[in-house]
mmCIF file of all heavy atoms in Angstrom:
data_model
loop_
_atom_site.group_PDB
_atom_site.id
_atom_site.type_symbol
_atom_site.label_atom_id
_atom_site.label_comp_id
_atom_site.label_asym_id
_atom_site.label_seq_id
_atom_site.Cartn_x
_atom_site.Cartn_y
_atom_site.Cartn_z
ATOM 1 N N HIS A 162 1.008 0.346 -35.286
ATOM 2 C CA HIS A 162 0.867 0.301 -36.734
ATOM 3 C C HIS A 162 0.730 1.713 -37.301
ATOM 4 O O HIS A 162 0.398 2.653 -36.580
ATOM 5 C CB HIS A 162 -0.360 -0.532 -37.114
ATOM 6 C CG HIS A 162 -0.336 -1.063 -38.512
ATOM 7 N ND1 HIS A 162 0.549 -2.021 -38.925
ATOM 8 C CD2 HIS A 162 -1.079 -0.756 -39.595
ATOM 9 C CE1 HIS A 162 0.342 -2.300 -40.203
ATOM 10 N NE2 HIS A 162 -0.643 -1.528 -40.634
ATOM 11 N N SER A 163 0.997 1.833 -38.587
ATOM 12 C CA SER A 163 0.918 3.129 -39.261
ATOM 13 C C SER A 163 0.914 2.920 -40.768
ATOM 14 O O SER A 163 1.099 1.804 -41.260
ATOM 15 C CB SER A 163 2.118 4.000 -38.884
ATOM 16 O OG SER A 163 3.303 3.449 -39.472
ATOM 17 N N ARG A 164 0.734 4.013 -41.473
ATOM 18 C CA ARG A 164 0.833 3.976 -42.935
ATOM 19 C C ARG A 164 2.211 3.497 -43.381
ATOM 20 O O ARG A 164 2.343 2.787 -44.379
ATOM 21 C CB ARG A 164 0.575 5.391 -43.462
ATOM 22 C CG ARG A 164 0.647 5.539 -44.969
ATOM 23 C CD ARG A 164 0.279 6.967 -45.359
ATOM 24 N NE ARG A 164 0.173 7.136 -46.796
ATOM 25 C CZ ARG A 164 -0.318 8.227 -47.378
ATOM 26 N NH1 ARG A 164 -0.758 9.224 -46.616
ATOM 27 N NH2 ARG A 164 -0.370 8.325 -48.686
ATOM 28 N N PHE A 165 3.227 3.850 -42.621
ATOM 29 C CA PHE A 165 4.604 3.494 -42.985
ATOM 30 C C PHE A 165 4.841 1.994 -42.826
ATOM 31 O O PHE A 165 5.542 1.378 -43.631
ATOM 32 C CB PHE A 165 5.592 4.278 -42.120
ATOM 33 C CG PHE A 165 5.287 5.750 -42.070
ATOM 34 C CD1 PHE A 165 4.696 6.317 -40.952
ATOM 35 C CD2 PHE A 165 5.568 6.562 -43.160
ATOM 36 C CE1 PHE A 165 4.398 7.663 -40.916
ATOM 37 C CE2 PHE A 165 5.266 7.911 -43.132
ATOM 38 C CZ PHE A 165 4.676 8.470 -42.006
ATOM 39 N N LYS A 166 4.254 1.417 -41.802
ATOM 40 C CA LYS A 166 4.409 -0.016 -41.586
ATOM 41 C C LYS A 166 3.559 -0.803 -42.570
ATOM 42 O O LYS A 166 3.940 -1.898 -43.001
ATOM 43 C CB LYS A 166 4.025 -0.374 -40.150
ATOM 44 C CG LYS A 166 4.396 -1.796 -39.755
ATOM 45 C CD LYS A 166 4.175 -2.030 -38.272
ATOM 46 C CE LYS A 166 4.577 -3.455 -37.878
ATOM 47 N NZ LYS A 166 4.354 -3.695 -36.436
ATOM 48 N N ALA A 167 2.411 -0.240 -42.942
ATOM 49 C CA ALA A 167 1.528 -0.919 -43.885
ATOM 50 C C ALA A 167 2.126 -0.973 -45.288
ATOM 51 O O ALA A 167 1.841 -1.896 -46.061
ATOM 52 C CB ALA A 167 0.175 -0.223 -43.923
ATOM 53 N N ASP A 168 2.961 0.016 -45.630
ATOM 54 C CA ASP A 168 3.558 0.101 -46.965
ATOM 55 C C ASP A 168 5.060 0.355 -46.801
ATOM 56 O O ASP A 168 5.567 1.442 -47.101
ATOM 57 C CB ASP A 168 2.897 1.236 -47.748
ATOM 58 C CG ASP A 168 3.208 1.184 -49.237
ATOM 59 O OD1 ASP A 168 3.970 0.286 -49.651
ATOM 60 O OD2 ASP A 168 2.696 2.043 -49.978
ATOM 61 N N PRO A 169 5.792 -0.640 -46.296
ATOM 62 C CA PRO A 169 7.186 -0.418 -45.881
ATOM 63 C C PRO A 169 8.143 -0.070 -47.008
ATOM 64 O O PRO A 169 9.238 0.443 -46.744
ATOM 65 C CB PRO A 169 7.568 -1.742 -45.216
ATOM 66 C CG PRO A 169 6.657 -2.751 -45.832
ATOM 67 C CD PRO A 169 5.377 -2.033 -46.073
ATOM 68 N N GLU A 170 7.772 -0.346 -48.247
ATOM 69 C CA GLU A 170 8.672 -0.076 -49.370
ATOM 70 C C GLU A 170 8.507 1.338 -49.931
ATOM 71 O O GLU A 170 9.222 1.723 -50.848
ATOM 72 C CB GLU A 170 8.418 -1.088 -50.492
ATOM 73 C CG GLU A 170 8.606 -2.540 -50.086
ATOM 74 C CD GLU A 170 10.012 -2.823 -49.614
ATOM 75 O OE1 GLU A 170 10.954 -2.307 -50.245
ATOM 76 O OE2 GLU A 170 10.161 -3.550 -48.619
ATOM 77 N N ARG A 171 7.560 2.108 -49.375
ATOM 78 C CA ARG A 171 7.262 3.401 -50.002
ATOM 79 C C ARG A 171 7.986 4.587 -49.366
ATOM 80 O O ARG A 171 8.529 5.430 -50.079
ATOM 81 C CB ARG A 171 5.760 3.664 -49.978
ATOM 82 C CG ARG A 171 5.404 5.008 -50.602
ATOM 83 C CD ARG A 171 3.937 5.148 -50.915
ATOM 84 N NE ARG A 171 3.671 6.436 -51.540
ATOM 85 C CZ ARG A 171 2.474 6.839 -51.958
ATOM 86 N NH1 ARG A 171 1.430 6.033 -51.813
ATOM 87 N NH2 ARG A 171 2.313 8.017 -52.518
ATOM 88 N N TYR A 172 7.988 4.679 -48.031
ATOM 89 C CA TYR A 172 8.490 5.889 -47.381
ATOM 90 C C TYR A 172 9.766 5.628 -46.585
ATOM 91 O O TYR A 172 9.921 4.577 -45.963
ATOM 92 C CB TYR A 172 7.446 6.453 -46.414
ATOM 93 C CG TYR A 172 6.154 6.877 -47.066
ATOM 94 C CD1 TYR A 172 5.032 6.047 -47.028
ATOM 95 C CD2 TYR A 172 6.048 8.101 -47.725
ATOM 96 C CE1 TYR A 172 3.831 6.425 -47.616
ATOM 97 C CE2 TYR A 172 4.857 8.494 -48.319
ATOM 98 C CZ TYR A 172 3.758 7.641 -48.259
ATOM 99 O OH TYR A 172 2.578 8.014 -48.856
ATOM 100 N N VAL A 173 10.646 6.634 -46.578
ATOM 101 C CA VAL A 173 11.793 6.649 -45.670
ATOM 102 C C VAL A 173 11.667 7.921 -44.835
ATOM 103 O O VAL A 173 11.685 9.037 -45.378
ATOM 104 C CB VAL A 173 13.133 6.637 -46.426
ATOM 105 C CG1 VAL A 173 14.300 6.750 -45.445
ATOM 106 C CG2 VAL A 173 13.257 5.364 -47.257
ATOM 107 N N VAL A 174 11.509 7.751 -43.535
ATOM 108 C CA VAL A 174 11.299 8.899 -42.647
ATOM 109 C C VAL A 174 12.586 9.714 -42.535
ATOM 110 O O VAL A 174 13.672 9.158 -42.301
ATOM 111 C CB VAL A 174 10.830 8.428 -41.256
ATOM 112 C CG1 VAL A 174 10.734 9.610 -40.293
ATOM 113 C CG2 VAL A 174 9.498 7.705 -41.361
ATOM 114 N N LEU A 175 12.441 11.033 -42.682
ATOM 115 C CA LEU A 175 13.577 11.947 -42.578
ATOM 116 C C LEU A 175 13.556 12.745 -41.275
ATOM 117 O O LEU A 175 14.579 12.886 -40.616
ATOM 118 C CB LEU A 175 13.586 12.918 -43.763
ATOM 119 C CG LEU A 175 13.661 12.296 -45.157
ATOM 120 C CD1 LEU A 175 13.503 13.365 -46.220
ATOM 121 C CD2 LEU A 175 14.979 11.547 -45.346
ATOM 122 N N ARG A 176 12.385 13.273 -40.935
ATOM 123 C CA ARG A 176 12.240 14.082 -39.719
ATOM 124 C C ARG A 176 10.836 13.883 -39.159
ATOM 125 O O ARG A 176 9.909 13.562 -39.899
ATOM 126 C CB ARG A 176 12.448 15.573 -40.030
ATOM 127 C CG ARG A 176 13.920 15.986 -40.135
ATOM 128 C CD ARG A 176 14.076 17.394 -40.695
ATOM 129 N NE ARG A 176 13.922 17.400 -42.137
ATOM 130 C CZ ARG A 176 13.173 18.267 -42.809
ATOM 131 N NH1 ARG A 176 12.466 19.175 -42.156
ATOM 132 N NH2 ARG A 176 13.097 18.213 -44.123
ATOM 133 N N VAL A 177 10.707 14.103 -37.850
ATOM 134 C CA VAL A 177 9.413 13.958 -37.188
ATOM 135 C C VAL A 177 9.175 15.180 -36.309
ATOM 136 O O VAL A 177 10.080 15.621 -35.593
ATOM 137 C CB VAL A 177 9.342 12.687 -36.318
ATOM 138 C CG1 VAL A 177 7.919 12.468 -35.809
ATOM 139 C CG2 VAL A 177 9.813 11.465 -37.101
ATOM 140 N N ARG A 178 7.946 15.704 -36.371
ATOM 141 C CA ARG A 178 7.568 16.854 -35.541
ATOM 142 C C ARG A 178 6.537 16.404 -34.516
ATOM 143 O O ARG A 178 5.543 15.752 -34.860
ATOM 144 C CB ARG A 178 7.005 17.985 -36.398
ATOM 145 C CG ARG A 178 8.056 18.601 -37.310
ATOM 146 C CD ARG A 178 7.498 19.716 -38.162
ATOM 147 N NE ARG A 178 8.552 20.222 -39.048
ATOM 148 C CZ ARG A 178 8.387 20.502 -40.334
ATOM 149 N NH1 ARG A 178 7.196 20.336 -40.895
ATOM 150 N NH2 ARG A 178 9.384 20.960 -41.064
ATOM 151 N N TYR A 179 6.772 16.789 -33.260
ATOM 152 C CA TYR A 179 5.905 16.414 -32.150
ATOM 153 C C TYR A 179 5.331 17.683 -31.528
ATOM 154 O O TYR A 179 6.053 18.652 -31.273
ATOM 155 C CB TYR A 179 6.685 15.646 -31.073
ATOM 156 C CG TYR A 179 7.439 14.450 -31.591
ATOM 157 C CD1 TYR A 179 8.697 14.600 -32.185
ATOM 158 C CD2 TYR A 179 6.918 13.165 -31.501
ATOM 159 C CE1 TYR A 179 9.400 13.512 -32.669
ATOM 160 C CE2 TYR A 179 7.614 12.071 -31.987
ATOM 161 C CZ TYR A 179 8.853 12.256 -32.572
ATOM 162 O OH TYR A 179 9.553 11.178 -33.052
ATOM 163 N N GLY A 180 4.040 17.659 -31.258
ATOM 164 C CA GLY A 180 3.395 18.761 -30.547
ATOM 165 C C GLY A 180 3.248 18.393 -29.082
ATOM 166 O O GLY A 180 2.437 17.533 -28.721
ATOM 167 N N LEU A 181 4.047 19.025 -28.236
ATOM 168 C CA LEU A 181 4.062 18.705 -26.807
ATOM 169 C C LEU A 181 3.230 19.711 -26.026
ATOM 170 O O LEU A 181 2.612 20.609 -26.596
ATOM 171 C CB LEU A 181 5.509 18.634 -26.321
ATOM 172 C CG LEU A 181 6.397 17.660 -27.111
ATOM 173 C CD1 LEU A 181 7.824 17.671 -26.565
ATOM 174 C CD2 LEU A 181 5.826 16.245 -27.087
ATOM 175 N N GLU A 182 3.201 19.576 -24.718
ATOM 176 C CA GLU A 182 2.346 20.398 -23.869
ATOM 177 C C GLU A 182 3.164 21.044 -22.761
ATOM 178 O O GLU A 182 3.974 20.385 -22.104
ATOM 179 C CB GLU A 182 1.241 19.528 -23.245
ATOM 180 C CG GLU A 182 0.329 20.281 -22.289
ATOM 181 C CD GLU A 182 -0.602 19.371 -21.520
ATOM 182 O OE1 GLU A 182 -0.437 18.131 -21.596
ATOM 183 O OE2 GLU A 182 -1.488 19.898 -20.820
ATOM 184 N N ASP A 183 2.951 22.329 -22.561
ATOM 185 C CA ASP A 183 3.544 23.032 -21.421
ATOM 186 C C ASP A 183 2.529 23.011 -20.286
ATOM 187 O O ASP A 183 1.538 23.743 -20.306
ATOM 188 C CB ASP A 183 3.887 24.473 -21.805
ATOM 189 C CG ASP A 183 4.621 25.213 -20.685
ATOM 190 O OD1 ASP A 183 4.647 24.690 -19.551
ATOM 191 O OD2 ASP A 183 5.155 26.306 -20.941
ATOM 192 N N ALA A 184 2.756 22.141 -19.316
ATOM 193 C CA ALA A 184 1.825 21.974 -18.199
ATOM 194 C C ALA A 184 2.480 22.426 -16.898
ATOM 195 O O ALA A 184 2.293 21.815 -15.844
ATOM 196 C CB ALA A 184 1.371 20.524 -18.095
ATOM 197 N N ASP A 185 3.276 23.487 -16.996
ATOM 198 C CA ASP A 185 3.953 24.055 -15.813
ATOM 199 C C ASP A 185 4.809 23.025 -15.096
ATOM 200 O O ASP A 185 4.798 22.929 -13.862
ATOM 201 C CB ASP A 185 2.920 24.650 -14.840
ATOM 202 C CG ASP A 185 2.186 25.839 -15.436
ATOM 203 O OD1 ASP A 185 2.833 26.621 -16.168
ATOM 204 O OD2 ASP A 185 0.986 25.984 -15.183
ATOM 205 N N GLY A 186 5.544 22.246 -15.875
ATOM 206 C CA GLY A 186 6.473 21.280 -15.295
ATOM 207 C C GLY A 186 5.858 19.965 -14.906
ATOM 208 O O GLY A 186 6.550 19.094 -14.349
ATOM 209 N N LEU A 187 4.570 19.795 -15.197
ATOM 210 C CA LEU A 187 3.904 18.543 -14.858
ATOM 211 C C LEU A 187 3.799 17.643 -16.080
ATOM 212 O O LEU A 187 3.855 18.097 -17.219
ATOM 213 C CB LEU A 187 2.508 18.821 -14.293
ATOM 214 C CG LEU A 187 2.450 19.576 -12.973
ATOM 215 C CD1 LEU A 187 1.002 19.796 -12.569
ATOM 216 C CD2 LEU A 187 3.210 18.839 -11.875
#
Side-chain angles (χ1 to χ4, degrees):
H162 201 68
S163 69
R164 180 176 187 170
F165 311 104
K166 191 172 181 180
D168 194 358
E170 301 300 319
R171 179 165 182 178
Y172 298 100
V173 176
V174 175
L175 301 174
R176 280 169 281 133
V177 188
R178 293 180 182 136
Y179 306 82
L181 305 179
E182 177 189 9
D183 185 348
D185 295 323
L187 295 179

